[in-house]
Each structure stands twice: as C-alpha cells, then as structure tokens.
Amino acid sequence: ETGVTQTPRHLVMGMTNKKSLKCEQHLGHNAMYWYKQSAKKPLELMFVYSLEERVENNSVPSRFSPECPNSSHLFLHLHTLQPEDSALYLCASSHTSGANTGELFFGEGSRLTVL
Amino acid sequence: DQQVKQNSPSLSVQEGRISILNCDYTNSMFDYFLWYKKYPAEGPTFLISISSIKDKNEDGRFTVFLNKSAKHLSLHIVPSQPGDSAVYFCAASATSGTYKYIFGTGTRLKVLA
C-alpha cells in the first residue's frame, strides 16, 4: 500500500455514539494532520502532530479527541457529536524539516454524518 | 476573516482553451503557495507549488504565477482537458516553523468537450 489511507470512508452515527476515524500513512512522513471540510467552507485545520507530539490544536471542541500512537498512524476519536459536525474529515501527512513544511498528501477522507 | 480567497466558485472552459484560476491572499507573511486538485469522493492531490522567491513555476500544462505586490496568484492550465474538471484549491503558508496551510474555498472547473 502507498500513500495515505483512511477508514472508514463513510460513517453514520447518532449523537450519543462513540466512534473513531483511522488514518495510516506509508510515505515515511513525520507530520500528520486532521482537516475538516464542510460544504462551501475552506478546509479547516483541526490538529497537527509532528513526531507524534501534538503541535497544533485549532480550538477544536473536546468532543473530538486525536491520538497519534506512532508516526504512521493517526486517530480521531468522536463522542457526543452534533449534527453540524457532519462533514468530510481529511487526514494528511507531510515531511517537515526544520522550518520547512513540505506539501500535504491527503487521504480520500471519511464522510461523517451525525444524526 | 478569510486569509486566502478564491472569489470564483466555478469556471467553465472549452476543451483546448486556457483555464485561469485565481487566488488572493491577505497575509504578507505567506511565502509558500500550493495548488491542489480534488475529484469527487477523493482527497485533494497536490498539483504545483511556488515559493515567494519566484514569480512563476511551470510543470507541463500547469503554470502558477505569483504577484507578491498584489498578493495574488493564478493557476493556468493550457490546453485544458475534460479530465481537468475538478475543484481546485489554493493554499498558503508562512515557512516560519508553523504547520498551518490556509486553504481557499475552491473553484470548480468544468472543461467542456
């Protein structure tokens, strides 16, 4: 496998459910990201992990909880979501060296619907 | 307040003609710019980038132009092909140690056969 893979591709959950999105990168990159894409809005950066340490957290509600156990895997744990959280969640990775952040490589996204 | 703006939500171009997609930014600290292409049900894929030390970067049919004084960049696709029909996002970052790419809202390009 190559690139960035996300599972599941589609998820429907109720507001009281707990679920997780998974991302795996096979590119040897050292930074991983979660972005949210809502209709007619720019991609919104949610979290960034560099070398498994969270370096960016863009005021995301606590009902979204990221986890990065190693440089190849990234999770987004979801609990008590709201219908307005329905969106496409995109994982990305990049190779970062010093002050330079390389291009982002995206996965295909997980389409989340909250009922 | 959007720091990266793509003011045209959609664009239609005849096959073989030039497609010009525009992007404006407000933050003078941005010094690295990228274009991504996104097909339905797929993640964005990197297309081309440009650093602020250049005003033009070319890769095959794709050329990105940067006008720093106007805080404007554009992506030219020549000749346009039906397979280029997709949503195009521009993104900007300041290479000052942050990991933040700021994206525009995208422009949907339709190339008509």
Side-chain angles (χ1 to χ4, degrees), chain A residues 9 31 33 35 37 40-43 45 48 50 55-56 58 88 90 94 96 98-109 111, chain B residues 2 4 32 34 36 38 40-46 48-49 87 89 91 93-106:
Chain A
R9 294 291 308 277
Y33 309 71
Y35 277 87
Q37 186 184 20
K40 300 193 177 162
K41 284 188 171 182
L43 273 74
L45 179 64
V48 183
S50 175
V55 295
E56 190 98 22
N58 273 9
L88 180 69
L90 290 160
S94 71
T96 301
N100 296 313
T101 299
E103 295 86 30
L104 297 172
F105 289 76
F106 285 90
E108 294 181 317
R111 172 71 60 187
Chain B
Q2 270 185 263
V4 177
Y32 189 58
L34 306 92
Y36 282 83
K38 185 180 184 301
E42 294 184 14
T45 54
F46 170 71
I48 193 169
S49 64
V87 178
F89 294 95
S93 76
T95 52
S96 55
T98 71
Y99 297 82
K100 189 174 288 188
Y101 283 99
I102 306 297
F103 283 81
T105 50

Side-chain angles (χ1 to χ4, degrees), chain A residues 74-85:
Chain A
L74 184 66
F75 295 89
L76 188 63
H77 303 300
L78 316 168
H79 64 98
T80 58
L81 294 193
Q82 305 297 313
E84 60 264 28
D85 296 322

Side-chain angles (χ1 to χ4, degrees), chain B residues 51-110:
Chain B
S51 162
S52 60
I53 62 173
K54 292 184 170 183
D55 53 20
K56 177 182 172 182
N57 189 24
E58 194 171 346
D59 184 2
R61 295 185 298 114
F62 302 91
T63 303
V64 56
F65 295 92
L66 176 62
N67 183 333
K68 289 184 287 292
S69 60
K71 296 193 180 68
H72 176 84
L73 64 155
S74 60
L75 175 68
H76 293 212
I77 307 173
V78 182
S80 301
Q81 299 172 354
D84 296 328
S85 298
V87 178
Y88 289 79
F89 294 95
C90 71
S93 76
T95 52
S96 55
T98 71
Y99 297 82
K100 189 174 288 188
Y101 283 99
I102 306 297
F103 283 81
T105 50
T107 296
R108 182 176 300 279
L109 173 66
K110 189 170 184 180

